Amino acid sequence: MNHASDILSLWARKGALTYDGEGISQLEHAWQCGQLALQAGATPALQLASWLHDIGHLMTDLPGSPTLHGIDDRHENLGAQALLPLWGAAVAEPVRLHVQAKRYMVAARPGYADKLSVDSVRSLALQGGPMSSEECRAFAALPFALEAQQLRAWDDSGKRVGWFAADADAALAELQALMALVSSRAQAG
Ligand SMILES: [Fe+2]
Ligand SMILES: [Fe+2]
């Protein structure tokens, strides 16, 4: 996956797949996370990371909710590896850290675990459970730890049935525009 166009075609081919056990599609979840980031005033890079945080799920051929089968697909690493050469660490790192952010937030924020969905709680166990205090300290010191937590909060909220762009084409057009914006900023900077 060397080009932004490969990412778009991956979404066009596989975006209709179910997101975890949540009753919405991967594309709906991705779009909602991008919208929540936009509404929160996130940078274009973090908006794009929010949009693409689960792209690793589309890069494997595991069925809808791998955690149901006791499988951790390590989608955060797959996704980050694909995104790093295209848009750099500001997009790739929050994606790579979004699963660790959940482990961190469960340990560090009282009440956070209560808000997680059933599938998210199930995958937490597979992903290593809450962080120890030592792990929390190490995580909090990482570059993009804050962005990863923001992304994580949008990830947790972006599971609303019935909230979507006009259609898949409209959503992908928004994604394409955002990718172009982040690319142009990366070149300018
Ligand atoms: Fe994820
Ligand atoms: Fe997600």
Side-chain angles (χ1 to χ4, degrees):
M1 215 162 52
N2 302 318
H3 301 285
S5 58
D6 296 335
I7 290 182
L8 275 177
S9 61
L10 190 59
W11 281 107
R13 276 188 290 121
K14 291 186 157 182
L17 289 174
T18 314
Y19 175 72
D20 290 346
E22 313 282 1
I24 60 172
S25 71
Q26 288 283 349
L27 184 58
E28 287 172 302
H29 174 60
W31 180 86
Q32 288 185 17
C33 292
Q35 290 298 308
L36 291 168
L38 173 69
Q39 289 171 7
T43 61
L46 188 53
Q47 289 176 42
L48 187 57
S50 301
W51 244 105
L52 299 179
H53 72 279
D54 279 337
I55 194 156
H57 280 316
L58 306 189
M59 296 166 64
T60 63
D61 284 319
L62 295 171
S65 184
T67 62
L68 274 176
H69 311 286
I71 297 166
D72 177 4
D73 65 3
R74 306 289 293 168
H75 68 284
E76 69 277 26
N77 292 336
L78 273 177
Q81 279 163 18
L83 299 175
L84 185 65
L86 289 169
W87 294 293
V91 175
E93 278 298 281
V95 171
R96 188 176 70 81
L97 296 173
H98 84 272
V99 170
Q100 296 304 310
K102 176 170 67 172
R103 296 186 55 226
Y104 172 82
M105 287 156 77
V106 168
R109 297 193 191 182
Y112 169 73
D114 303 340
K115 295 188 217 137
L116 292 174
S117 65
V118 174
D119 200 81
S120 219
V121 170
R122 182 173 43 234
S123 55
L124 174 67
L126 277 174
Q127 291 152 347
M131 283 184 174
S132 66
S133 47
E134 207 167 299
E135 287 174 316
C136 281
R137 266 196 300 279
F139 177 84
L142 291 173
F144 300 106
L146 230 48
E147 287 84 350
Q149 290 173 71
Q150 290 178 294
L151 193 163
R152 185 72 225 183
W154 300 322
D155 185 9
D156 296 329
S157 317
K159 300 176 178 179
R160 300 178 199 166
V161 176
W163 182 35
F164 193 45
D167 55 32
D169 287 345
L172 290 178
E174 287 180 38
L175 173 58
Q176 189 169 17
L178 181 59
M179 292 193 300
L181 175 65
V182 176
S183 296
S184 67
R185 293 207 172 185
Q187 273 160 18

